[in-house]
Amino acid sequence: MSEQAQIIYTHTDEAPLLATYSFLPIVQAYAAKAGVPVVTRDIGLAARILAQFGLADDALGELGELAQRPTANIIKLPNISASVPQLKAAIAELRAKGHAVPDYPEAPGTDAERETRARYDKVKGSAVNPVLREGNSDRRAPGSVKAYAKAHPHRNRSFDPGSKTTVATMSDHDFRANEKSVTLAADDTLSIVLETTDGRQITLKAELPVLAGEIVDATVMQVAHLRAFLINALARAKAEDVLFSLHLKATMMKISDPIIFGHAVEAYFADVFAAHGEELAAAGLSANDGLGAILAGLDALPNGAAIRADIDAALAGGPRLAYVNSDAGITNLHVPSDVIVDASMPAMIRGGGKLWGVDGAEADTLAVIPDSSYAAVYQAVIDDVKARGPLDPAAIGSVPNVGLMAQAAEEYGSHDKTFEIPADGAVRVLNSAGETLLEHDVETGDIWRACQAKDIPVRDWIALAVARARATGAPAVFWLDDSRAHDAEIIKKVNAYLPEHDTTGLDIQILSPALATAYSLARLRRGEDTISVTGNVLRDYNTDLFPILEVGTSAKMLSIVPLIAGGGLFETGAGGSAPKHVQQLLAENYLRWDSLGEFFALVPSLQMYAEQAGAPSANVLADALDRATATFLENDRSPGRRLGTTDNRGSHFYLALYWAQELAAQDTDPALAAAFAPLADRLTADERTIADELLAAQGHPVDIGGYYSPDPDKTAAVMRPSATFNAALDTF
Ligand code: NAP
Ligand code: MG
């Protein structure tokens, strides 16, 4: 029964993968001295594609099972949630490297193609986190990060007087307004059926197993209303002469949001699609993949030049668009996964409500967030900043988060329960007795989605909220909207399970997201902390929003997932895989990725290992790392943004230096101190040489032999350019 305890460090994608090539050798060398095994598993996009076709181990499947055992101790770095264009690019790269993976079937016609498509659908979008997150989420800015931010505050800019920046969201007929929800009394297997107006029964999902106490809800985005809303928003942006910007979550909500994105592209380029829609569709150029994919495909079309001219005319005559990169001509409507609401909205607010136009100049924006479930949060922050001025990072408190996410709770818009409705009719969720639990009238093209939240995760989440409130003394606010059907069911559970805990002396409340935002901001301005206890989506959104306003980035977060089965999943920061950082590395051999999230994750992971393996020296490593990280912050060793400063690799060297010094200096474990003393001396003596070698490597393009599947040797060479540092580690 005894499974050997070990720490599993994940290989993922993009910037965190690059950073791993530099940081993991340090971790493994240090951990080995204390007898702590640190092994890797590759759950990057390329490896997951290969695994679907039996060409690599199914590491994700293995870790998903491990996460349900008390021995789990996994450090999870951010990975790509692949959009279709990214998936296709990864497939092309793998094929070019000789891997026998099939092309992505755009419109599967045969059984074999449908099978291939089903495999690819498993790696698309947010495919990793729901598998690993067998626990709820505890995310906060550690004290050392808040202290650093107070001493070195970033700038939250003020909105101009009379700023026209505002949020546009639907008032009805959207996911929030149409939501219906039930809590199941007993275990059952449900099904989802569309009965069409012309009398056909289309099974959308044959088997949906549910457990007693599980909340199931269903809702629909009525596309006719969505299109009217978008047309209205475009007209409003034009009339107010502000930038039109669309903010979705096409990665996590991988079925629904690319479709909504496509409607926005079609609304903006209505004349283009009226004139050329059939030709574009026949060529497989879909608005859902974005303007960028359409433009890229035009050269191959007989009419391509004319279509391009019409697109240019639409851009010239339509409302001004926000640009992701005006130098490169990349608009807000180019790629569905370029603008992600949880990162884009806080960045816009931090920047005084401005985005960039075609000319690279800043301007106010109409931030279009079609579904109204959470849009009010951003409007509340904008209102607050407009009324009271920007938040001052040197003075404000904190809004940590306890988020519901275990066992794929509230995975809205993803997975296998979201459908673009093929015919007018009614969608019903039926129980095994054939009774209708939930029902919506639908029209062709509507986006219907169901979602689940099991009872055990909800209980665990409530317990975690109480535990954090107890540990910190801060008020805990459940961000729940009693006018939403799903939230009303959750509120019943909160009211039922809270009394099972000792809450004497604790301040625990339930507020709607808009009120909770205003309440938390008021406290934040007084320097006070308020725990936001949220569902899965706001977990994601709030852990970018508040960190970005408080400490300038979501990268420096402690992100713990206490697994329900007893193990630990340690996520690194709250950000993603930072594709822009890879571009910079390739262009100028400079990686601005900040690995603080990895440092923070490693501390509780080592502590958990100490407990799992009965190995107190792992605690010594953890304590030393914790102190080293504080020194690292005090000495401002995080990567800069520009060439010629300490980058990711340099930051790893300084962490290694401070960590070795702490280990050499501690007296809890004299053997470990003796083992590290020579290394600490050597790194201290060679600091200048190593720092110079690392700086000298910067400033020219590099080749790592791939993007989704970079060459390990080339990448290691790029990410470990200091011969002196490498020799010190190798001989350690
Ligand atoms: P992102 O990766 O968080 O990057 C947005 C920006 O945040 C970066 O350009 C960077 O800003 C900053 N950033 C994030 N982490 C950072 C770090 N450790 N150090 C320094 N800066 C950091 O968000 P995204 O571009 O929306 O998403 C990219 C990919 O990551 C997508 O495929 C997305 O689905 C995925 N994602 C994964 C997870 C996860 O696995 N847990 C979470 C979120 C997103 P600057 O450019 O200013 O340096
Ligand atoms: Mg997020």
Side-chain angles (χ1 to χ4, degrees):
M1 209 23 247
S2 87
E3 191 172 19
Q4 201 218 338
Q6 57 183 6
I7 293 175
I8 295 180
Y9 199 96
T10 51
H11 267 262
T12 56
D13 302 293
E14 296 186 328
L17 173 63
L18 296 173
T20 297
Y21 274 95
S22 161
F23 185 49
L24 188 60
I26 300 168
V27 175
Q28 286 176 320
Y30 284 37
K33 287 285 178 219
V36 180
V38 180
V39 302
T40 63
R41 292 289 184 278
D42 190 346
I43 55 169
L45 178 60
R48 287 185 285 121
I49 292 173
L50 292 174
Q52 281 302 320
F53 297 95
L55 300 170
D57 290 339
D58 178 15
L60 179 61
E62 178 198 342
L63 295 190
E65 279 169 25
L66 177 61
Q68 299 173 49
R69 298 202 295 274
T71 41
N73 188 338
I74 304 167
I75 297 181
K76 158 68 175 65
L77 283 79
N79 61 283
I80 290 176
S81 300
S83 63
V84 171
Q86 286 177 307
L87 185 54
K88 289 180 187 164
I91 294 167
E93 180 177 330
L94 288 171
R95 286 170 63 93
K97 288 184 169 149
H99 297 285
V101 292
D103 272 325
Y104 179 80
E106 196 69 62
T110 65
D111 280 351
E113 283 170 356
R114 273 186 287 274
E115 166 70 24
T116 300
R117 175 65 177 259
R119 288 177 194 228
Y120 279 132
D121 282 347
K122 287 189 194 147
V123 294
K124 200 160 79 182
S126 193
V128 172
N129 292 328
V131 174
L132 299 183
R133 288 175 172 169
E134 284 289 330
N136 293 303
S137 147
D138 166 11
R139 283 188 181 176
R140 45 200 142 104
S144 54
V145 170
K146 283 296 282 183
Y148 175 82
K150 289 189 172 180
H152 308 86
H154 70 278
R155 184 153 155 253
N156 290 322
R157 290 166 53 193
S158 45
F159 281 50
D160 291 341
S163 164
K164 289 189 273 189
T165 292
T166 189
V167 173
T169 190
M170 292 172 76
S171 50
D172 205 353
H173 308 290
D174 62 355
F175 288 132
R176 187 194 58 77
N178 287 326
E179 193 169 73
K180 296 178 182 177
S181 184
V182 286
T183 300
L184 278 300
D187 294 5
D188 201 353
T189 300
L190 312 183
S191 59
I192 305 174
V193 176
L194 166 67
E195 182 176 329
T196 64
T197 315
D198 56 17
R200 286 173 296 145
Q201 300 275 336
I202 300 175
T203 300
L204 298 176
K205 185 150 185 71
E207 294 195 346
L208 181 61
V210 291
L211 301 175
E214 183 156 348
I215 299 170
V216 175
D217 44 69
T219 186
V220 60
M221 170 66 83
Q222 294 172 261
V223 158
H225 292 276
L226 169 66
R227 295 183 76 109
F229 162 79
L230 289 166
I231 287 165
N232 209 356
L234 287 162
R236 182 174 164 195
K238 175 98 182 159
E240 294 178 5
D241 192 28
V242 292
L243 302 176
F244 176 91
S245 62
L246 178 69
H247 304 262
L248 290 167
K249 182 86 191 184
T251 47
M252 181 185 190
M253 302 182 187
K254 64 181 166 184
I255 308 289
S256 59
D257 283 22
I259 299 172
I260 296 174
F261 184 86
H263 285 296
V265 173
E266 289 183 10
Y268 190 97
F269 296 98
D271 294 344
V272 175
F273 281 89
H276 311 287
E278 280 176 24
E279 187 177 349
L280 291 172
L285 298 178
S286 162
N288 295 11
D289 293 343
L291 179 60
I294 292 176
L295 289 170
L298 286 183
D299 288 343
L301 298 191
N303 231 353
I307 301 176
R308 192 180 296 275
D310 286 357
I311 288 174
D312 288 342
L315 284 168
R320 293 194 285 150
L321 267 186
Y323 273 66
V324 171
N325 181 341
S326 46
D327 291 339
I330 300 183
T331 72
N332 175 280
L333 296 178
H334 258 64
V335 183
S337 56
D338 261 3
V339 179
I340 310 229
V341 59
D342 50 339
S344 62
M345 286 301 293
M348 183 267 275
I349 293 169
R350 178 182 56 188
K354 307 280 192 190
L355 290 175
W356 297 272
V358 60
D359 47 4
E362 292 188 326
D364 289 345
T365 183
L366 183 66
V368 177
I369 304 177
D371 177 48
S372 62
S373 298
Y374 310 103
V377 169
Y378 298 110
Q379 187 62 55
V381 182
I382 291 171
D383 290 345
D384 179 87
V385 175
K386 280 185 179 175
R388 296 178 189 86
L391 293 157
D392 175 5
I396 58 177
S398 194
V399 181
N401 180 265
V402 171
L404 174 63
M405 67 177 192
Q407 299 175 4
E410 298 184 356
E411 283 287 340
Y412 291 112
S414 336
H415 302 293
D416 48 357
K417 294 180 290 294
T418 303
F419 306 97
E420 191 171 25
I421 296 299
D424 294 3
V427 178
R428 299 194 180 92
V429 178
L430 306 169
N431 65 15
S432 56
E435 294 157 346
T436 300
L437 301 179
L438 302 164
E439 174 170 3
H440 288 97
D441 289 335
V442 292
E443 293 179 7
T444 306
D446 284 354
I447 307 164
W448 184 96
R449 75 180 190 197
C451 133
Q452 297 164 268
K454 299 194 194 306
D455 185 60
I456 287 173
V458 175
R459 270 179 191 250
D460 178 81
W461 168 66
I462 294 165
L464 186 57
V466 173
R468 293 305 307 155
R470 178 67 67 200
T472 60
V477 178
F478 284 85
W479 294 39
L480 295 168
D481 180 352
D482 60 9
S483 71
R484 260 185 73 181
H486 169 82
D487 285 14
E489 295 300 301
I490 297 269
I491 288 171
K492 287 183 202 162
K493 288 193 189 283
V494 173
N495 289 331
Y497 298 145
L498 259 186
E500 294 175 357
H501 301 275
D502 175 10
T503 54
T504 35
L506 302 184
D507 179 353
I508 298 182
Q509 317 178 34
I510 299 176
L511 294 174
S512 73
L515 290 177
T517 308
Y519 176 76
S520 304
L521 286 169
R523 291 180 49 85
L524 201 68
R525 285 182 184 277
R526 296 198 296 268
E528 296 166 347
D529 302 347
T530 315
I531 302 167
S532 71
V533 187
T534 68
N536 189 35
V537 177
L538 283 175
R539 168 198 61 76
D540 182 28
Y541 293 8
N542 280 9
T543 58
D544 284 307
L545 174 62
F546 289 103
I548 285 173
L549 297 173
E550 289 175 29
V551 303
T553 168
S554 58
K556 301 181 198 287
M557 296 289 280
L558 176 62
S559 191
I560 299 178
V561 184
L563 296 171
I564 295 174
L569 173 70
F570 305 95
E571 300 192 35
T572 60
S577 50
K580 282 184 231 157
H581 295 197
V582 187
Q583 292 165 15
Q584 187 181 16
L585 177 94
L586 296 179
E588 52 186 38
N589 199 1
Y590 187 88
L591 184 66
R592 68 179 190 270
W593 174 261
D594 187 337
S595 288
L596 262 184
E598 289 99 287
F599 307 163
F600 287 137
L602 194 51
V603 172
S605 169
L606 285 165
Q607 288 164 340
M608 176 163 274
Y609 177 86
E611 211 170 288
Q612 287 171 328
S617 53
N619 266 331
V620 177
L621 278 181
D623 290 347
L625 176 57
D626 200 29
R627 289 193 299 275
T629 306
T631 309
F632 177 96
L633 280 166
E634 280 157 25
N635 292 351
D636 210 359
R637 297 298 185 190
S638 284
R641 298 179 60 81
R642 280 177 342 274
L643 202 61
T645 57
T646 299
D647 82 343
N648 176 262
R649 297 163 291 192
S651 79
H652 294 163
F653 162 66
Y654 279 104
L655 186 84
L657 171 65
Y658 302 144
W659 194 6
Q661 288 172 341
E662 291 291 347
L663 283 162
Q666 52 79 33
D667 51 18
T668 316
D669 187 333
L672 213 52
F676 275 90
L679 181 69
D681 289 345
R682 184 164 172 179
L683 295 182
T684 305
D686 287 341
E687 174 185 340
R688 197 61 267 154
T689 312
I690 293 171
D692 286 345
E693 285 174 359
L694 290 169
L695 284 175
Q698 300 176 9
H700 55 86
V702 286
D703 171 25
I704 55 170
Y707 189 90
Y708 296 97
S709 179
D711 179 83
D713 294 333
K714 286 184 181 172
T715 312
V718 168
M719 290 309 301
R720 303 187 64 195
S722 165
T724 308
F725 187 31
N726 294 349
L729 277 186
D730 292 346
T731 53
F732 175 41

